Amino acid sequence: MDIETLRLYCLSKKGGSEDTPFGPDTLVFRVVGKIFALTSLDVPSARVNLKCDPEYAVELRERYPESVLPGYHMNKQHWNTVEMENGLDEKLIRSLVDHSYKIIVASLKKAQKEALNNM
């Protein structure tokens, strides 16, 4: 999966938005203001940081040691860095984006969830 495909997929999520709060080289994807994915635009290989359940994060890192790493510059227990052009199936990458999105949506406050539902 390339960066543009990732971008379009993240923006297709209900309430999905993008911005560059950390500078022009880091693209951040949010739902109701909360980050569910980040990617660097200046790294040679496409990679994305995604939120992940801690136990699942460890399982993914063990199963795909070349492609799923502890989150770069993130809480390594809750975030993975996924090398998108390192042999991972696009379907798996999409499911990891979905997983990250669902974790963030589940953590939203009641008013935020209502705002999302009304979009």
Side-chain angles (χ1 to χ4, degrees):
M1 176 181 284
D2 61 27
I3 296 282
E4 186 59 21
T5 303
L6 170 74
R7 179 180 171 273
L8 293 173
Y9 189 67
C10 288
L11 292 175
S12 75
K13 298 294 190 191
K14 188 172 188 175
S17 65
E18 66 182 338
D19 63 347
T20 54
F22 306 117
D25 295 331
T26 303
L27 188 57
V28 174
F29 299 97
R30 301 174 188 262
V31 57
V32 191
K34 295 192 78 164
I35 297 171
F36 70 93
L38 303 95
T39 188
S40 175
L41 299 173
D42 67 347
V43 175
S45 67
R47 42 175 93 139
V48 62
N49 283 352
L50 298 168
K51 187 96 176 188
C52 193
D53 172 77
E55 290 179 17
Y56 187 40
V58 171
E59 178 185 326
L60 289 166
R61 292 172 200 165
E62 289 174 354
R63 188 179 302 162
Y64 307 103
E66 300 293 321
S67 302
V68 181
L69 310 166
Y72 182 71
H73 285 299
M74 306 297 283
N75 179 323
K76 301 201 182 334
Q77 183 178 1
H78 297 277
W79 289 84
N80 280 332
T81 296
V82 177
E83 298 276 353
M84 296 186 295
E85 295 177 344
N86 205 10
L88 284 183
D89 181 62
E90 189 168 316
K91 185 176 178 181
L92 174 61
I93 296 169
R94 287 178 187 267
S95 77
L96 296 176
V97 171
D98 294 344
H99 179 72
S100 180
Y101 177 86
K102 288 175 186 174
I103 289 172
I104 297 303
V105 168
S107 74
L108 296 174
K109 295 177 182 175
K110 183 178 180 180
Q112 292 171 312
K113 286 181 183 178
E114 288 176 10
L116 180 62
N117 287 334
N118 291 328
M119 290 182 169

